[in-house]
Amino acid sequence: MKKEDLKNLIKKAKGEEKPELVFKNANLINVFTKEIIKTNVAIDNGKIVGIGDYSGIEEIDLNGKYLSPGFIDSHVHIESSMSTPSQFARAVMPRGVTSVVTDPHEIANVKGIDGIKYMIEESKNSPLDAYFVFPSCVPATPFENSGAVLDADVMEELIDGKNVIGLGEMMDYVGVINYSDKVIDKLLVGNNTIIDGHGPMIKDRELNAYVAAGVKTEHECTTPEEMIERLRLGMYILIREGSATRDLRKLIGAVNRENLSRILFCTDDKHPEDLINEGSIDYNIKLAIEAGIDPIDAITIAALNPAICYNLKNKGAIAPGYDADLVVIDNLEDFNIISVYKKGKLVAEDNKPLFNSDVFLPDHMKDSVVIKDFDIDKLRIPMTSNRANVIKVLPDSLVTDISNRQINVNNGCFEYSNDDILKLVVVERHKMTGNVGLGLIENMNLKNGAIGSTIAHDSHNIIVVGDNDEDILLAINELVKIGGGITLVSNGEVLRSLPLEVGGIMTTKPIEEINIILKEMIDLSYNKLGVNKDIDPFMTLSFMGLPVIPKLKLTDMGLFNVEEFKFVDISLSNA
């Protein structure tokens, strides 16, 4: 803050001069004292200058409506909205989210350091404050091929405490607990910042080692027992409610006044439809209130706690000197958001953004899908028995199970039958290695077609599921043709595609338009292809290639057992 700005703030706080704006008759939610106070709030030059008896140049009478600090999403991958940062802002700011902590490891896996710089610059085209953490695991493991490799020396260039405030989720927990030199170098770069965790399987002494290495947060808890174990070691717990993984109802019962200060909310990965229809962090708050959490406590979790955890100064509360990031709410039962202010300026009203976003797209962020010559023979799965390791999809979870299934074999290869065992294919699309991973998957129920995508966490290779090789091949070719995206095919015909021209994982289209196209495609997948309605077809498919979430996943290098941390054969012994 400049000297004159500070003098001005003090003058306005003392009442020597009128502030620009005063909210009159607000029910102020005080996250420090857990009170609701009927008062006025004075704002000037984007800052709260005082609370109490003020009059302003402009005055807005809230007539007893509730005034909350803006919400902070403590862990989100903006890329999962399929939108650029400035378009993403148009979806979340009407929901009261005024700041996000975002890990751009999706685009970093495709475009490396250029992708991170693009996200930082593009985020400046909206009022949303985006704080970045540097992706710590690009690629996530050595068991897949991504578009880039980011080591510690590259990190030092960008971790500046301003745009990049810490080290992103440390998925390579094996590297941490076995003190891999490459991982230790990364941890040392992030040593004076926040280091995010990603260790759903770690416990006991190995968990102690993980925390001792400097990891401070965890968003992968799926049971209260995991959550309590990590809280006892001083970690912050980020309770996640995303599209594919919904943990809040399972965890919120373990939150109490004693551990409340270590609890945050996040969305992690949320699709456009869910962002628009459910919301963002406001949805976490609503669910928490429904589960019996005091509304002021829920708002504290959503605002003050992430500001403290991530050292976001002057955010997360309504008090003198804090940023005037404010949410006007009708009542604390229904929790309907009326309007949102960012640094004292109205940015959203009645669930609509009141700002435009000037999206830009440099040429180097396009044309990211390149594969080696591909034909249908590459889709054949050789089998040495008629029993197979099969990936079993579970509803509302990134975790899969492992099924031991009997299959049809013809001429030494897997043969499709009328049951629910489908073929899953991952094709490397960054460096033309020619790698093709082949596997089998169940519980998706897809019939007469294929679904393909270049959104495949975290390396974002081409991933396709289908019940016949012809449609799988067509889906692969369509994704190459459109430069990446999502496609549905059936009986030799492309039903619908959503091109994602930004690295094959985002588009510059307005998020409302993305939502319309995606909804049409989801309806087609359910009603035309018969996909299991208990799963989100695209979000679920996108995580079938992630070899850090149990139990069985597929990368371009093969079928991977996450619990054993090794590749396994599709074929099982008949014995």
Side-chain angles (χ1 to χ4, degrees), residues 234-309:
M235 298 186 85
Y236 286 94
I237 299 300
L238 284 51
I239 296 181
R240 169 178 56 190
E241 191 69 15
S243 287
T245 306
R246 298 175 179 271
D247 299 321
L248 192 143
R249 288 184 176 92
K250 293 177 282 187
L251 300 179
I252 200 69
V255 176
N256 54 49
R257 283 296 176 99
E258 285 69 38
N259 62 32
L260 181 77
S261 65
R262 309 298 286 187
I263 307 297
L264 287 65
F265 286 143
C266 76
T267 60
D268 198 3
D269 296 285
K270 206 154 189 181
H271 265 196
E273 183 177 24
D274 290 331
L275 280 174
I276 290 171
N277 295 335
E278 288 180 352
S280 178
I281 295 301
D282 61 315
Y283 186 62
N284 295 51
I285 295 171
K286 287 179 183 179
L287 292 182
I289 293 171
E290 287 175 11
I293 296 294
D294 181 89
I296 302 177
D297 287 341
I299 290 168
T300 302
I301 293 170
L304 181 63
N305 291 359
I308 293 171
C309 174

